[in-house]
Amino acid sequence: RKKMGLLLLLIICRCAINSVKTHSVSKPNIILLMADDLGIGDLGCYGNRTLRTPNIDRLAEEGVTLTQHIAASPLCTPSRAAFLTGRYPVRSGMAAFSRVGVFLFSASSGGLPSEEITFSKLLKQKGYATALIGKWHLGMNCESSNDFCHHPHSHGFDYFYGLPVTNFRDCSPGQGSVFLKGVQKALVIPIQITGIALVSLAIVQYSGLLKVPFQALGYCLLIITISLVVLIFFFYHFRHLNCFLMRDHQIIQQPLSYENLTQRLTKEAMQFIGRNTDAPFLLVLSYLHVHTALYASENFKGKSKHGLYGDAVEEMDWSVGQILDVLEKHNLSDKTLVYFTSDQGAHVEEISSTGEVHGGYNGMYKGGKSTNWEGGIRVPGLFRWPGVVQAGAYIDEPTSNMDIFPTIVKLGDAQLPSDRIIDGHDLLPLLQGKVTRSKHEFLFHYCNAYLNAVRWHPGNSESVWKVFFFTPNFSPEDSNGCYDSHVCFCHGGFITRHDPPLLFDLSRDPEEKVPLTPETESRFYEILRVVHQAIDNHTRSLHAVPNQLSWDNLLWKPWLQLCCSSVFQSCYCDYESGGRPVEVQSG
């Protein structure tokens, strides 16, 4: 009888332990921290010895460091679309066929389609409080200035505090312009052609060789004049029209002020956590750091060894520390999965008008933002969840920012959509050490909507093969980026096509220095055959969808313009200082 009692007690204890263990990995709080344009070599936990990032490094010490974590795109908009949906951006129409691969204006009509299912939508349905704080960059309106069809609220976030587009140099007076040079280049030839055409018509008219109605000439001149006036007005007021801060559907600061901006974003994140200590929450804190325009508050300005860029990195690290501290304050650390990453690699071409380097460091990796060289897509990947994921572990398997979707959807007790392909895979078994191999045998690297390269990690090999079908033409040629055009592009004279493709083994050559040949790699043609078969299978899984980054969807549409006063009052307001926010008005 005593033995039976002991046995019963052991069974009860085991059931209780299993129950606790199951509960601990069910519906945790989830915090996703995303930097903007941060290089993998900018962090201490990835080898940097001069920038101080103790709080981000703490995530690595207390959790898992992924050393081959890959962004689904080397550009902001498509990478973030893939992150939220777990799908290659080409599947949702969030990959461009034109030169411009991101949204540039708040009054564009393109954006993440409402048909797409985000992890925030699924977790909200399971009772999670959801918030996005910081940069959005996935569209705002479709047909009117208040339909908010692409707004974070339409994609499962209960609360939004941040920027609808992104951080531009043009948003900060004195930091130059990302548009001026390109606009000047684009307008010179059309203006010259128009001028020559009008002068020629006038000469022909005056000489009597051809009768051109003066009314037609007048209309042409009027249309050209109006177009130029609108263009000049737009770029003169760019900061007011595109750089503003919103809370939910309301503009609270237009134009954006950088004063203590990171502190404000951090405070909003901490308050959201404080409001939701008794129920599961999802917080996406999407930093503006370290996209240009660079900024840092007085407490950090001039304190790092790497100028304003380093100051911004160290301020962001401070913010991460504040988030970890508030979790400890509310005894939530053990109940919260924290993830840190960047949307793509560092923008190596970013140099200020005074010659100061404003781009980050991608470590040993080649290239940077806008390229599918490893420097453009290999990003930090840190996971901390005390007692659930391994502490101090390093994993060198190919993983993707698309993997966040199935990982946290499963943790939130939600079901993965069955009506579409999800390209990401659940990372928890890998993070817990239950498996040692990634489920990603192939990863497809797109440059905008063009398949640029393929990564193959065979199940029976340590090799990671990478095949390039075209590569960007760096300018100057001996540099590590496209300095003449500020970013690299994906087609025409901006690239060099390769036939046969370039082949690298990243396990032996992570710097992508020496392409393999049939002479140096006996399996060269076999590897290409397998990769081409994988491409055929992948291509068959794609379906035609509306292109959200077409020129029509990218262009500024005045009737979609968000404005907290009116265009004629320069769209100015500042309710961050204690004033009351107002509903937005159409331009």
Side-chain angles (χ1 to χ4, degrees):
R1 189 177 287 179
K2 191 179 281 186
K3 284 183 180 179
M4 285 294 290
L6 283 170
L7 184 62
L8 188 61
L9 186 62
L10 281 171
I11 292 169
I12 291 169
C13 287
R14 184 178 289 272
C15 289
I17 289 166
N18 287 338
S19 174
V20 169
K21 191 174 180 182
T22 302
H23 177 73
S24 70
V25 295
S26 177
K27 300 190 79 169
N29 304 312
I30 297 164
I31 297 179
L32 309 176
L33 307 170
M34 178 172 278
D36 197 350
D37 291 3
L38 181 73
I40 194 171
D42 287 326
L43 302 176
C45 52
Y46 284 95
N48 194 295
R49 294 294 171 261
T50 51
L51 283 174
R52 295 166 297 186
T53 56
N55 297 297
I56 297 172
D57 297 345
R58 181 180 157 198
L59 293 175
E61 292 162 10
E62 299 175 0
V64 174
T65 301
L66 302 178
T67 59
Q68 200 179 159
H69 195 45
I70 307 301
S73 170
L75 286 175
C76 306
T77 294
S79 176
R80 290 162 185 269
F83 168 68
L84 282 172
T85 63
R87 289 152 52 83
Y88 288 109
V90 71
R91 296 194 191 278
S92 57
M94 296 293 279
F97 289 95
S98 63
R99 184 185 300 187
V100 180
V102 300
F103 294 116
L104 300 175
F105 313 126
S106 65
S108 296
S109 57
L112 187 63
S114 57
E115 297 81 14
E116 287 300 310
I117 297 174
T118 60
F119 54 64
S120 43
K121 276 184 183 176
L122 295 177
L123 292 185
K124 182 178 178 178
Q125 291 169 5
K126 287 295 180 176
Y128 273 73
T130 57
L132 186 135
I133 294 170
K135 169 177 168 172
W136 174 236
H137 210 183
L138 292 171
M140 190 54 53
N141 293 309
C142 290
E143 296 178 358
S144 69
S145 64
N146 58 3
D147 63 37
F148 298 113
C149 63
H150 302 307
H151 188 281
H153 281 194
S154 299
H155 289 290
F157 290 103
D158 298 318
Y159 183 68
F160 172 57
Y161 175 92
L163 273 69
V165 193
T166 188
N167 183 22
F168 293 107
R169 283 190 177 276
D170 305 68
C171 295
S172 180
Q175 287 218 30
S177 171
V178 296
F179 295 105
L180 198 56
K181 194 174 178 182
V183 169
Q184 286 172 339
K185 277 185 179 179
L187 287 180
V188 166
I189 292 176
I191 288 174
Q192 286 176 342
I193 292 171
T194 303
I196 291 168
L198 287 173
V199 170
S200 300
L201 282 172
I203 291 170
V204 167
Q205 174 80 10
Y206 183 76
S207 64
L209 294 173
L210 183 68
K211 292 293 181 185
V212 180
F214 279 106
Q215 194 174 12
L217 280 173
Y219 280 135
C220 285
L221 197 59
L222 181 64
I223 291 168
I224 292 165
T225 302
I226 290 172
S227 300
L228 283 173
V229 166
V230 169
L231 200 62
I232 291 166
F233 171 86
F234 176 76
F235 282 104
Y236 182 78
H237 291 281
F238 182 92
R239 180 166 164 254
H240 290 258
L241 298 177
N242 296 284
C243 312
F244 52 86
L245 191 64
M246 296 183 76
R247 177 176 281 114
D248 295 325
H249 289 148
Q250 299 169 328
I251 295 176
I252 56 175
Q253 193 173 60
Q254 191 172 14
L256 171 74
S257 167
Y258 288 94
E259 185 177 358
N260 295 323
L261 181 55
T262 302
Q263 284 75 7
R264 286 183 275 155
L265 295 172
T266 306
K267 182 180 178 183
E268 288 283 339
M270 293 169 69
Q271 288 176 340
F272 174 78
I273 294 169
R275 292 194 299 269
N276 293 283
T277 56
D278 297 325
F281 63 81
L282 164 70
L283 168 63
V284 179
L285 179 49
S286 176
Y287 290 103
L288 276 62
H289 287 320
V290 279
H291 196 294
T292 53
L294 294 179
Y295 67 95
S297 62
E298 290 302 318
N299 288 340
F300 294 92
K301 199 174 290 182
K303 301 295 173 64
S304 78
K305 294 180 180 179
H306 289 284
L308 189 54
Y309 183 90
D311 300 341
V313 172
E314 293 186 359
E315 182 173 54
M316 178 172 61
D317 180 78
W318 164 84
S319 173
V320 172
Q322 295 295 297
I323 300 302
L324 298 182
D325 288 348
V326 80
L327 289 177
E328 288 186 5
K329 174 186 172 183
H330 294 295
N331 297 315
L332 295 175
S333 295
D334 293 348
K335 303 173 186 175
T336 306
L337 172 67
V338 180
Y339 166 71
F340 180 90
T341 192
S342 177
D343 55 357
Q344 66 266 324
H347 193 173
V348 295
E349 296 94 345
E350 277 289 5
I351 298 174
S352 74
S353 55
T354 59
E356 182 181 348
V357 174
H358 277 190
Y361 177 53
N362 292 316
M364 72 171 110
Y365 303 111
K366 186 174 182 176
K369 176 179 178 174
S370 79
T371 81
N372 280 303
W373 294 113
E374 288 298 284
I377 55 176
R378 195 181 287 225
V379 294
L382 303 172
F383 287 85
R384 189 195 79 159
W385 188 1
V388 179
V389 306
Q390 304 171 85
Y394 287 82
I395 296 174
D396 192 34
E397 287 287 295
T399 57
S400 169
N401 65 350
M402 296 184 292
D403 296 336
I404 303 308
F405 180 96
T407 302
I408 66 174
V409 165
K410 185 174 180 182
L411 287 172
D413 287 346
Q415 295 295 315
L416 290 176
S418 58
D419 63 341
R420 65 198 64 204
I421 292 173
I422 300 298
D423 297 297
H425 296 291
D426 180 12
L427 286 176
L428 195 60
L430 198 63
L431 299 176
Q432 292 182 307
K434 293 179 178 178
V435 299
T436 58
R437 300 285 295 196
S438 165
K439 290 183 180 178
H440 287 290
E441 184 178 2
F442 297 96
L443 281 170
F444 301 92
H445 305 305
Y446 281 86
C447 186
N448 287 351
Y450 304 100
L451 184 60
N452 185 187
V454 177
R455 180 182 306 247
W456 177 34
H457 184 37
N460 59 352
S461 169
E462 295 304 311
S463 290
V464 179
W465 306 107
K466 189 174 178 185
V467 175
F468 272 100
F469 302 104
F470 63 86
T471 51
N473 298 329
F474 285 168
S475 53
E477 280 187 30
D478 59 347
S479 68
N480 190 40
C482 301
Y483 289 86
D484 292 347
S485 54
H486 192 62
V487 292
C488 297
F489 296 113
C490 303
H491 60 280
F494 297 103
I495 63 170
T496 297
R497 297 191 179 276
H498 302 286
D499 187 13
L502 299 185
L503 174 65
F504 298 92
D505 182 358
L506 298 177
S507 68
R508 291 178 286 166
D509 181 19
E511 298 172 70
E512 299 170 296
K513 280 186 173 180
V514 184
L516 299 170
T517 65
E519 291 71 37
T520 58
E521 175 50 63
S522 60
R523 294 163 292 176
F524 185 89
Y525 290 109
E526 173 63 16
I527 292 164
L528 293 186
R529 186 191 66 78
V530 173
V531 167
H532 278 295
Q533 182 61 54
I535 292 170
D536 288 343
N537 294 337
H538 170 67
T539 303
R540 281 197 294 270
S541 76
L542 301 176
H543 303 287
V545 291
N547 183 5
Q548 298 297 322
L549 288 153
S550 65
W551 283 115
D552 177 55
N553 281 325
L554 284 170
L555 290 175
W556 179 59
K557 296 180 171 67
W559 57 92
L560 300 183
Q561 183 62 55
L562 297 176
C563 191
C564 62
S565 53
S566 75
V567 172
F568 301 104
Q569 294 172 296
S570 297
C571 290
Y572 175 83
C573 64
D574 186 358
Y575 301 102
E576 277 285 83
S577 305
R580 186 179 176 185
V582 295
E583 292 290 345
V584 296
Q585 300 179 20
S586 71

